[in-house]
């Protein structure tokens, strides 16, 4: 199972910030060794475990310098808040650009970060699918099945998890299509879906644990890569259902300029993100079930990914600022449908 298989991965808990402070205050520019800190979101543990190894080799070959990469994982929104509150990230690799904008608004990232790297500084993408138990005993095929009285749903909390916001928007896209933009009916659909949610975990990985490890629920609304990992680990226990409509999820990356400048890690931090676009890194992304932005490499994995899914982009919802204001801010749609 995912929880057991990866329990030994280096993970910096947000509960251990005080202990982590000794690492954060390390003079990264001293001597022949260098440390950088990547604050990421829940389901990227396996991706960066593999990527960090090839980046270390790349940096050593390029500069002769050894580099260590320390990882921190958690719900994307919560991770952004931790960085704002003092978790010393050299780079952030979060679930959505809104969370990086929050760090920019706190004065820690320079404006224009989204244009610094290709594809809006999103080196890989994903989408949202359903993970069900083998044989699909509840015959769950699409979003309308998730509002049935006999279906229990697992999804994380969109107040703390970027993946959960993508989940919510994918469901909203379906409701908008079938109800022809009738927002009263759309809100009623989303309300019923969340009434079927057993527990709102704080992040995508903890939601996977609830479904996979703890046996809760009939369906997990999940990152595609997270669902693939569960099936890979237990092919006799789980299967993936692709809904009729979903979203193109674009996890974003940025250098935390204030921290990198203070620690003398600007060069290595920028290269750490640039190298995510290399062919080797793009294939590592695909092997960890993220969709490469390099279209030629993505085609190499067309037998893995369903490239014919109807995927809405964040622009179809008015952009993250509008989405946050309308749906996830205090008093927004989510509060109305979940609080009543």
């Amino acid at each position: 199972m995912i929880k057991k298989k990866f329990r030994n991965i280096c993970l910096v808990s947000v509960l251990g910030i005080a202990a982590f402070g000794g690492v954060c205050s390390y003079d990264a520019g001293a001597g022949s060794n260098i440390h950088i800190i990547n604050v990421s979101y829940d389901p990227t543990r396996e991706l960066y475990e593999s990527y960090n190894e090839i980046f270390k080799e790349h940096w050593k070959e390029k500069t002769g310098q050894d580099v260590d990469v320390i990882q921190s994982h958690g719900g994307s929104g919560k991770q952004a808040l931790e960085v704002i509150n003092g978790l010393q990230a050299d780079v952030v690799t979060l679930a959505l650009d809104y969370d990086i904008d929050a760090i920019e608004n706190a004065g820690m990232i320079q404006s224009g970060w989204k244009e610094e790297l290709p594809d809006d500084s999103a080196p890989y993408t994903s989408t949202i699918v359903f993970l069900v138990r083998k044989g699909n005993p509840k015959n769950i095929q699409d979003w309308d099945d998730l509002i049935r009285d006999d279906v229990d749903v697992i999804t994380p909390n969109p107040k703390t998890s970027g993946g959960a916001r993508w989940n919510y928007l994918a469901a909203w896209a379906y409701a908008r299509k079938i109800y022809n933009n009738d927002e009263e009916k759309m809100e009623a659909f989303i309300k019923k879906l969340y009434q079927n949610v057993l527990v709102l975990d704080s992040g995508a990985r903890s939601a996977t644990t609830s479904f996979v490890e703890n046996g809760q629920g009939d369906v997990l609304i999940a990152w595609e890569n997270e669902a693939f990992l569960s099936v890979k680990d237990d092919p006799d226990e789980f299967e993936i259902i692709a809904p009729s409509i979903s979203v193109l999820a674009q996890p974003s990356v940025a250098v935390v300029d204030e921290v990198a400048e203070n620690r003398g890690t600007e060069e290595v931090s920028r290269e750490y993100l640039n190298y995510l676009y290399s062919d080797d890194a793009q294939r590592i992304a695909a092997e960890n079930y993220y969709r490469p932005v390099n279209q030629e490499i993505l085609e190499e994995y067309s037998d893995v990914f369903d490239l014919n899914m109807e995927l809405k982009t964040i622009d179809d919802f008015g952009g993250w600022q509008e989405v946050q204001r309308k749906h996830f801010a205090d008093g927004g749609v989510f509060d109305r449908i979940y609080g009543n």
Side-chain angles (χ1 to χ4, degrees):
M1 302 298 233
I2 286 177
K3 181 179 177 184
K4 296 176 182 176
K5 185 174 181 180
F6 301 114
R7 63 179 178 266
N8 292 323
I9 292 175
C10 176
L11 170 63
V12 179
S13 169
V14 293
L15 298 176
I17 291 175
F20 192 44
V23 175
C24 294
S25 62
Y26 175 83
D27 182 1
S32 61
N33 296 332
I34 193 168
H35 291 69
I36 62 171
I37 301 158
N38 175 13
V39 172
S40 195
Y41 67 106
D42 267 334
T44 61
R45 291 174 173 87
E46 297 74 45
L47 167 61
Y48 282 107
E49 182 188 25
S50 297
Y51 173 69
N52 289 346
E53 291 305 312
I54 70 163
F55 178 73
K56 290 176 187 179
E57 295 175 4
H58 167 71
W59 187 252
K60 179 74 171 181
E61 182 178 342
K62 181 176 181 177
T63 68
Q65 190 176 45
D66 292 317
V67 60
D68 289 322
V69 183
I70 298 171
Q71 289 294 134
S72 171
H73 296 278
S76 185
K78 192 173 183 180
Q79 289 289 78
L81 184 60
E82 294 296 342
V83 172
I84 293 168
N85 288 338
L87 182 55
Q88 296 287 287
D90 298 276
V91 299
V92 286
T93 56
L94 297 176
L96 43 93
D97 59 47
Y98 180 84
D99 291 330
I100 297 181
D101 283 340
I103 303 171
E104 177 193 340
N105 293 337
M108 302 177 70
I109 294 176
Q110 296 173 7
S111 62
W113 66 267
K114 199 171 179 181
E115 288 73 48
E116 289 187 4
L117 293 165
D119 299 287
D120 295 328
S121 291
Y124 41 80
T125 68
S126 191
T127 189
I128 303 304
V129 298
F130 303 152
L131 185 68
V132 299
R133 306 199 184 279
K134 192 69 173 180
N136 195 8
K138 292 294 181 74
N139 193 28
I140 294 166
Q141 301 297 333
D142 214 339
W143 292 99
D144 55 346
D145 292 312
L146 273 56
I147 66 170
R148 288 170 17 206
D149 291 338
D150 66 328
V151 172
D152 291 328
V153 177
I154 300 295
T155 185
N157 188 344
K159 290 284 193 173
T160 57
S161 166
R165 295 181 201 179
W166 289 116
N167 295 354
Y168 174 104
L169 289 179
W172 185 264
Y174 176 84
R176 183 168 63 184
K177 184 175 182 178
I178 63 171
Y179 294 120
N180 196 27
N181 285 313
D182 185 327
E183 295 228 353
E184 184 175 347
K185 293 180 178 178
M186 292 158 63
E187 286 196 25
F189 178 91
I190 297 296
K191 181 174 182 176
K192 176 57 178 170
L193 191 158
Y194 277 89
Q195 285 175 339
N196 285 355
V197 174
L198 292 181
V199 59
L200 285 178
D201 289 294
S202 62
R205 181 53 62 86
S206 55
T208 301
T209 297
S210 292
F211 185 78
V212 171
E213 291 285 331
N214 301 336
Q216 295 178 295
D218 301 303
V219 56
L220 171 70
I221 309 175
W223 289 98
E224 181 180 51
N225 59 288
E226 192 81 340
F228 269 118
L229 285 174
S230 297
V231 172
K232 179 181 178 181
D233 201 35
D234 283 298
D236 295 330
E237 296 292 330
F238 306 105
E239 61 185 84
I240 295 171
I241 303 295
S244 65
I245 190 169
S246 193
V247 292
L248 178 68
Q250 293 179 288
S252 301
V253 303
V255 174
V256 183
D257 298 293
E258 179 181 275
V259 173
E261 289 171 6
N262 288 340
R263 300 184 65 230
T265 61
E266 302 103 311
E267 184 181 359
V268 64
S269 296
R270 295 191 188 285
E271 184 63 13
Y272 182 78
L273 299 184
N274 275 319
Y275 198 62
L276 284 166
Y277 294 85
S278 68
D279 288 354
D280 287 344
Q282 290 283 287
R283 289 190 174 92
I284 282 179
E287 288 161 8
N288 285 276
Y289 305 110
Y290 282 93
R291 299 184 177 211
V293 292
N294 182 316
Q295 293 301 302
E296 291 183 1
I297 294 177
L298 177 60
E299 287 293 335
E300 294 177 13
Y301 293 85
S302 60
D303 60 331
V304 175
F305 302 111
D306 181 355
L307 302 183
N308 297 313
M309 292 178 67
E310 180 182 355
L311 302 180
K312 299 298 183 181
T313 71
I314 190 60
D315 292 337
D316 292 315
F317 304 94
W320 274 115
Q321 294 298 326
E322 172 61 17
V323 165
Q324 179 67 22
R325 182 199 66 77
K326 178 176 180 176
H327 294 278
F328 306 124
D330 291 344
V333 174
F334 180 75
D335 280 354
R336 293 202 301 273
I337 62 99
Y338 194 69
N340 296 318

